[in-house]
Amino acid sequence: MEEVTKVPPPVLERRVRQRQTTVSVLKSKLKQGVTCSVPRVRSTLTGFFPVVRWLPKYKLQEYVWGDLMSGVIVGIILVPQAIAYCLLAGVQPIYGLYTSFYANIIYFLMGTSRHVSVGIFSLMSLMVGQVVDKEMFMAGFDLDEDSKASGLVFNASLGTNLTIGTPHSVELMGVQCGKECYSITIAAALTFLVGVYQLLMAVFRLGFVSVYLSAPMLDGFATGASFTILTVQAKYLLGIKIPRHQGYGTVVVTWFNIFANIHNTNLCDLITSAICISILVAGKEIQERYKDRLKIPLPTELIIVAGATLASHFGELNSKYGSSVSGHIPTGFIPPQVPSFTLMPRLALDAIPLAVISFAFTVSLSEMFAKKNGYTVRPNQEMLAISFCNIIPSFFHCFTTSAALAKTMVKDSTGCQTQISSLISALVVLLVLLFFAPYFFALQKCVLACIIIVSLRGALRKFKDVPAKLRASRDDGIVWMVAMSATALISVELGLVVGVVFSMICVIYKTQNPKVSLLGKASEIDLYEDVEEYKNLMPPPRVQIFRFQAPLYYANKDSFLRSLYKAVGVEPFLELTKRRKEEKKAQEMSSKQIKANGDKSNGEVVIGLVQRELDFHTIVLDCSAIPFIDSTGMATFEGLVKEFGEIRVNILLANCNTSVIDILQKDNSLGKMTKT
């Protein structure tokens, strides 16, 4: 019988890499950055305005009908939403139309996504409205739209019961500014800051900030904000005139004020709201049920707006029943104005969450629909595009924008091929701005609130998915619940902060308490796996193989040591202490025995350290699941070698990746520690 010779495993030799010095790298990048040539200028311009690249290649016969159809439909949806979301933003309806018009044109020129619809978004409008209301309140303006608040309201920011006073004006840049002027001035200054922050993020490549906005956190944040939007709009459904609450706990305080003033409900608004919500929900249900048969979405919002405006005008609902209406919406454009720089220092912190959320939603939606339709987008260019969608319109009395999921899905489902559809949508809004805006004078605000509330159905439905989220991933489900609760019960801005911090705490907790295991070998093959997860695995004789599935760094080194000691059943310091106690005890007994035998020597007995027999003589640390270690992790390895060496147990490292090997080789204090 022939002997089978074992072939030794191949020895891998590391490549020798010569790293460039920091100075040479900086010089190279600087030289590349300042180099100017005609091709480089052309490439920069076409990169900054992607429309120059794709528009000459536009396939007219293939694309035009899809773009025309989606553009008209989105424009029809956009007009009532642009007017409605101004209720959230705390500005007049005309500014919502301006915002939709300019944002669509700028993104047409600068965006790289073919399907994203940029414009008014309910969450952005809510966040803008909260900042506007805060500044208006501090300036002494009446936050009630029509007249004094009906009855007594509670405002926790003052902790007192108060009655709202009459509107007044303030001096701004040498001009007396009334309520409407001051509100849009605040919104425009805030929008300018948001755009500048996004531009800086694009220039300095700070898009990585969005990685801290996990999907469950963003989902919970959006759901909590949706509940806040519903709460803010509830007073319009009932026709109750109460100002927006300033401070934390908007949801709780607003519902308290609503129930405290429920007896002042306007029956006309209540009946109108019930009819509009019924029609809108029915239209949405029909759209969802027969979406395969319907080639275009039902223009339910436009039908409701047209019908309700006619009913309000001819029924004289404002004069006869006191129903709150939109009021005069002028035609044409207002001359551009530089945003107020005097307000910006007070708005600097408020603009940060808007900038991050606006950018995150835009980039994530553009990448999502690009992947779905088989093309690529440039995230950094998307950041530039959304930044200029905020900077430039801020000079034209607009407020913060971002990509909107609902309208983007409509564009995708109605055959959109390019951003020509955004240009068509802007033209639809332009027609309203030039000709049809005054016809919305009699449109009731409760109708606009119904449009907003029904548009939140998708977000509010996610409450029923909570059990499934918890079953799929308990950590993600808890993150969703914390972000949603903090956003709804505290405030939108703090909800975002709480969600991000809690998500990071969950990640840190996972690295501090990772899965650990002892490995065993499968029979006849060199495969080692977790003995608790797989059957028929045998640990090597007198060897313990330990796997730690996380990076080893300063925050989890104690967890690493505890789990290792527990897994192998030996803690070196305690084992050494036991041996020393046994040695001392043996010395004492030996001394007593010698004295009892009458030995006249000096009575000193030298006994070596008692050697206790352990079940193993070697511990192999499987480092395959350790992506990196820091100096604390290195010191932990050194301590293990020393501590186990004192009880005659060897420490070996196996399956180290190159980054861990490099750190081990750079460290000179490991002595003869074996690296395999």
Side-chain angles (χ1 to χ4, degrees):
M1 189 147 175
E2 296 182 3
E3 263 188 39
V4 179
T5 57
K6 240 185 176 181
V7 180
V11 178
L12 297 178
E13 185 177 355
R14 290 286 299 276
R15 293 180 183 272
V16 178
R17 298 184 183 273
Q18 292 183 351
R19 295 183 179 179
Q20 291 183 329
T21 62
T22 306
V23 176
S24 62
V25 171
L26 289 175
K27 284 183 179 178
S28 175
K29 287 188 176 182
L30 186 62
K31 183 179 179 181
Q32 184 181 0
V34 299
T35 302
C36 185
S37 62
V38 174
R40 183 174 174 80
V41 171
R42 186 186 299 115
S43 174
T44 302
L45 289 176
T46 56
F48 196 71
F49 295 104
V51 65
V52 178
R53 292 184 178 180
W54 60 261
L55 191 57
K57 303 175 185 177
Y58 188 79
K59 300 176 182 178
L60 187 64
Q61 293 183 344
E62 185 178 346
Y63 293 164
V64 68
W65 290 112
D67 286 340
L68 182 63
M69 180 69 70
S70 65
V72 171
I73 292 171
V74 170
I76 291 172
I77 295 173
L78 196 58
V79 170
Q81 286 192 353
I83 297 173
Y85 287 164
C86 287
L87 292 181
L88 291 172
V91 297
Q92 294 298 310
I94 187 67
Y95 303 120
L97 295 171
Y98 289 159
T99 302
S100 300
F101 174 73
Y102 287 111
N104 275 282
I105 291 179
I106 294 170
Y107 191 80
F108 160 76
L109 296 172
M110 300 187 67
T112 58
S113 172
R114 303 175 190 173
H115 296 84
V116 161
S117 175
V118 172
I120 289 190
F121 182 38
S122 58
L123 178 56
M124 291 294 103
S125 301
L126 172 68
M127 297 176 75
V128 169
Q130 290 184 335
V131 177
V132 169
D133 284 348
K134 181 187 71 174
E135 293 298 323
M136 295 280 286
F137 184 81
M138 292 174 63
F141 282 97
D142 180 0
L143 297 185
D144 186 56
E145 291 83 358
D146 299 318
S147 61
K148 291 184 180 181
S150 56
L152 204 62
V153 297
F154 179 74
N155 193 312
S157 61
L158 295 180
T160 58
N161 292 330
L162 54 90
T163 304
I164 305 302
T166 56
H168 67 284
S169 62
V170 296
E171 186 176 343
L172 192 66
M173 294 186 292
V175 179
Q176 286 296 320
C177 199
K179 183 177 178 180
E180 177 184 342
C181 164
Y182 195 61
S183 63
I184 190 58
T185 302
I186 296 167
L190 180 69
T191 301
F192 179 81
L193 280 176
V194 169
V196 169
Y197 288 159
Q198 291 170 335
L199 180 61
L200 292 175
M201 290 169 68
V203 170
F204 292 105
R205 310 277 178 169
L206 298 179
F208 69 88
V209 173
S210 65
V211 303
Y212 297 105
L213 305 177
S214 65
M217 191 283 298
L218 274 179
D219 202 13
F221 171 72
T223 305
S226 299
F227 193 70
T228 305
I229 293 170
L230 185 150
T231 299
V232 170
Q233 297 303 299
K235 65 178 182 179
Y236 296 107
L237 301 183
L238 304 174
I240 298 174
K241 296 177 176 62
I242 56 173
R244 283 195 192 180
H245 166 69
Q246 295 304 306
Y248 302 135
T250 297
V251 170
V252 176
V253 176
T254 302
W255 282 111
F256 173 83
N257 288 334
I258 288 173
F259 285 113
N261 292 275
I262 198 73
H263 57 280
N264 294 317
T265 298
N266 187 306
L267 290 178
C268 178
D269 284 343
L270 180 61
I271 294 170
T272 303
S273 300
I275 294 172
C276 291
I277 288 178
S278 300
I279 296 174
L280 287 168
V281 171
K284 297 291 183 183
E285 291 295 331
I286 292 172
Q287 178 68 42
E288 290 179 6
R289 184 168 296 182
Y290 300 104
K291 60 183 177 182
D292 296 331
R293 301 182 188 178
L294 296 172
K295 294 183 179 180
I296 61 173
L298 297 175
T300 318
E301 289 93 346
L302 187 64
I303 294 171
I304 284 291
V305 167
T309 303
L310 292 173
S312 176
H313 175 72
F314 291 106
E316 299 180 359
L317 301 184
N318 176 246
S319 58
K320 288 185 178 180
Y321 304 104
S323 180
S324 179
V325 296
S326 298
H328 177 62
I329 304 177
T331 56
F333 291 88
I334 303 174
Q337 182 179 353
V338 177
S340 174
F341 290 99
T342 57
L343 289 173
M344 290 183 189
R346 286 159 40 188
L347 304 175
L349 289 178
D350 295 316
I352 294 175
L354 277 95
V356 174
I357 292 296
S358 171
F359 141 72
F361 273 104
T362 302
V363 173
S364 61
L365 279 180
S366 62
E367 290 181 340
M368 180 196 308
F369 282 88
K371 188 180 295 183
K372 178 183 177 183
N373 291 278
Y375 62 93
T376 58
V377 294
R378 289 183 285 136
N380 208 59
Q381 179 61 27
E382 288 295 298
M383 290 175 65
L384 283 173
I386 196 62
S387 69
F388 281 97
C389 283
N390 286 313
I391 291 176
I392 296 175
S394 68
F395 289 82
F396 296 90
H397 312 280
C398 300
F399 53 92
T400 311
T401 60
S402 77
L405 175 60
K407 291 187 280 292
T408 302
M409 292 179 68
V410 169
K411 288 181 71 171
D412 183 47
S413 63
T414 51
C416 171
Q417 298 293 330
T418 67
Q419 281 298 328
I420 290 288
S421 61
S422 293
L423 196 60
I424 302 297
S425 299
L427 292 176
V428 173
V429 177
L430 181 63
L431 288 175
V432 175
L433 278 169
L434 295 179
F435 303 107
F436 302 112
Y439 294 104
F440 294 102
F441 177 90
L443 179 59
Q444 294 165 271
K445 289 184 177 179
C446 64
V447 176
L448 301 176
C450 291
I451 293 173
I452 294 172
I453 289 172
V454 173
S455 70
L456 302 175
R457 288 166 65 249
L460 296 176
R461 278 178 174 175
K462 292 180 180 178
F463 280 103
K464 69 179 183 181
D465 298 333
V466 174
K469 290 179 185 291
L470 290 170
R471 285 194 298 268
S473 172
R474 187 182 64 178
D475 293 338
D476 287 348
I478 293 174
V479 167
W480 185 94
M481 293 174 65
V482 169
M484 184 277 299
S485 302
T487 304
L489 299 178
I490 305 175
S491 71
V492 175
E493 292 81 4
L494 273 182
L496 177 63
V497 174
V498 170
V500 171
V501 171
F502 188 78
S503 298
M504 296 176 69
I505 288 173
C506 288
V507 173
I508 294 171
Y509 177 79
K510 287 180 182 177
T511 62
Q512 287 184 321
N513 298 274
K515 181 176 175 56
V516 298
S517 52
L518 287 176
L519 307 186
K521 180 183 176 184
S523 57
E524 299 179 357
I525 56 174
D526 288 332
L527 175 64
Y528 292 85
E529 267 303 338
D530 189 349
V531 294
E532 292 185 357
E533 298 291 342
Y534 296 93
K535 299 179 180 179
N536 303 322
L537 296 180
M538 294 296 295
R542 304 201 66 195
V543 174
Q544 301 274 20
I545 306 177
F546 178 77
R547 177 185 290 168
F548 186 75
Q549 300 184 29
L552 182 57
Y553 67 116
Y554 67 92
N556 67 356
K557 60 106 174 175
D558 292 330
S559 174
F560 170 78
L561 292 174
R562 283 196 306 268
S563 56
L564 174 61
Y565 296 155
K566 183 178 179 181
V568 301
V570 174
E571 190 167 344
F573 178 75
L574 295 180
E575 177 66 22
L576 192 61
T577 303
K578 287 179 183 178
R579 293 186 180 184
R580 285 174 177 165
K581 285 182 179 179
E582 291 182 5
E583 175 195 356
K584 186 176 180 181
K585 187 177 179 181
Q587 282 183 342
E588 290 175 353
M589 291 183 65
S590 179
S591 299
K592 289 179 182 179
Q593 188 175 3
I594 291 173
K595 288 179 181 179
N597 293 334
D599 192 343
K600 302 298 182 184
S601 64
N602 57 8
E604 294 181 1
V605 180
V606 178
I607 299 178
L609 188 64
V610 175
Q611 301 298 318
R612 285 163 47 91
E613 188 68 22
L614 296 176
D615 296 335
F616 57 91
H617 56 71
T618 300
I619 297 176
V620 178
L621 300 179
D622 180 9
C623 300
S624 59
I626 300 180
F628 68 88
I629 60 174
D630 65 356
S631 58
T632 305
M634 193 71 251
T636 303
F637 278 156
E638 295 169 10
L640 282 178
V641 173
K642 181 180 178 182
E643 290 176 2
F644 277 100
E646 290 178 350
I647 60 173
R648 308 234 179 180
V649 174
N650 297 318
I651 298 290
L652 304 178
L653 305 184
N655 295 330
C656 298
N657 61 40
T658 53
S659 64
V660 175
I661 290 175
D662 289 340
I663 293 176
L664 293 172
Q665 289 176 340
K666 289 176 183 178
D667 191 276
N668 297 321
S669 59
L670 281 177
K672 299 179 180 179
M673 181 175 179
T674 306
K675 299 178 278 289
T676 64

